[in-house]
Amino acid sequence: MATEHILIVDDEETLCEVLKINLENEGYDVDTALSAEEALQLDLKQYDLILLDIMMGEISGIKMAKMLKSDVTTAEIPIIFCTARDTEDDMVMGLNLGADDYIMKPYTIRNVIARVKSVLRRTSGHKTKAPAAEKPNVLEVEGLRLDLEFKRCLVDGEEVKLARKEFELLAYLILHRGKICSRDQILSSVWSNEVVVLDRTIDVNITRLRSKIGAYGPYIVTRSGFGYGFRD
């Protein structure tokens, strides 16, 4: 599992260093910034959590939080306010901005670490993940069509009956078209559950496939000593 990346934004340099050391001792990857202006120069979307002081320079923690929440690339990053402003109104305002927690100074390092762990547990996975590539339901090469959902093979519109391993072998070759697949690769993918399979088994199925798919038979190529492929 990747190490969570935390940013501390506070104009008290000593406090930043103390927090950084202690959080790194807990296994986190930690950066610090001594102002919102400095923090905003960083690639903020890389962080899993931001510890943010409210009372800073020209750009306050409140203003920076608003900027983060208004940007789609940083809106989901959890924020913990760490501040000396300890009135109920300040706390409510911070939480209404979308902060995940509010720690009042002076605080203990133990308390901060506990809050950090709690927020990260709640918000793990906030970063947008790239969607997994969807497997195709249909494979088509010109007039050759394999319907992976209904296990049908069509050649120029006419259905051709393929045995299960013939179908799986053809699908494997088409999915890897443009490259030569070794016998070992084919055996481990198409005959993965079989106890013993002879190399000759592949040859026999290739011969049958070439015959059954007619004009597209020559698309299945043999490279002696290397394996089989399906040409582009």
Side-chain angles (χ1 to χ4, degrees):
M1 181 177 177
T3 302
E4 284 106 335
H5 203 175
I6 298 173
L7 175 63
I8 302 167
V9 187
D10 197 305
D11 57 6
E12 296 183 47
E13 186 172 0
T14 301
L15 181 58
C16 281
E17 288 305 312
V18 170
L19 285 174
K20 176 180 170 69
I21 291 169
N22 282 275
L23 287 169
E24 285 180 339
N25 285 341
E26 294 293 322
Y28 300 112
D29 186 4
V30 184
D31 294 327
T32 63
L34 299 178
S35 67
E37 290 87 344
E38 183 181 339
L40 291 168
Q41 297 302 310
L42 303 173
D43 179 15
L44 294 175
K45 62 181 178 292
Q46 68 180 300
Y47 295 103
D48 297 286
L49 174 67
I50 297 177
L51 291 169
L52 183 58
D53 185 24
I54 288 181
M55 299 172 64
M56 293 188 288
E58 190 171 330
I59 300 178
S60 69
I62 294 293
K63 186 173 181 180
M64 180 176 169
K66 289 180 179 177
M67 295 167 71
L68 291 171
K69 295 302 179 184
S70 65
D71 185 334
V72 67
T73 65
T74 56
E76 298 302 315
I77 299 175
I79 295 172
I80 298 178
F81 280 125
C82 299
T83 180
R85 297 179 62 167
D86 58 358
T87 69
E88 186 177 354
D89 287 344
D90 289 328
M91 185 181 297
V92 170
M93 177 176 62
L95 295 174
N96 283 342
L97 276 174
D100 293 82
D101 207 342
Y102 192 104
I103 306 175
M104 292 177 287
K105 296 178 181 179
Y107 47 70
T108 65
I109 297 299
R110 185 178 178 184
N111 183 27
V112 174
I113 291 173
R115 301 287 190 94
V116 165
K117 289 181 177 179
S118 176
V119 169
L120 287 173
R121 276 197 301 270
R122 292 200 312 266
T123 61
S124 61
H126 72 85
K127 290 183 177 178
T128 303
K129 296 182 178 178
E134 292 185 7
K135 292 184 178 180
N137 289 325
V138 175
L139 299 176
E140 287 186 277
V141 179
E142 299 179 15
L144 176 61
R145 177 184 174 93
L146 284 187
D147 187 331
L148 303 183
E149 195 76 23
F150 292 97
K151 311 303 181 188
R152 298 175 69 218
C153 175
L154 300 175
V155 176
D156 296 329
E158 296 292 325
E159 184 169 357
V160 173
K161 298 294 184 182
L162 297 181
R164 178 177 176 179
K165 290 303 180 184
E166 292 170 353
F167 185 92
E168 292 175 356
L169 175 57
L170 182 56
Y172 180 82
L173 292 176
I174 293 176
L175 281 168
H176 296 83
R177 63 182 177 269
K179 63 176 288 188
I180 297 299
C181 303
S182 70
R183 290 174 177 272
D184 286 343
Q185 289 173 324
I186 294 171
L187 285 171
S188 64
S189 296
V190 179
W191 280 272
S192 58
N193 297 322
E194 307 293 332
V195 178
V196 178
V197 179
L198 301 176
D199 284 353
R200 181 66 180 156
T201 302
I202 300 177
D203 301 336
V204 169
N205 278 274
I206 290 290
T207 300
R208 288 175 180 166
L209 272 177
R210 284 181 173 142
S211 174
K212 289 184 176 183
I213 62 177
Y216 302 99
Y219 282 54
I220 300 175
V221 296
T222 304
R223 294 289 179 265
S224 182
F226 296 98
Y228 294 100
F230 198 97
R231 77 179 197 211
D232 278 329

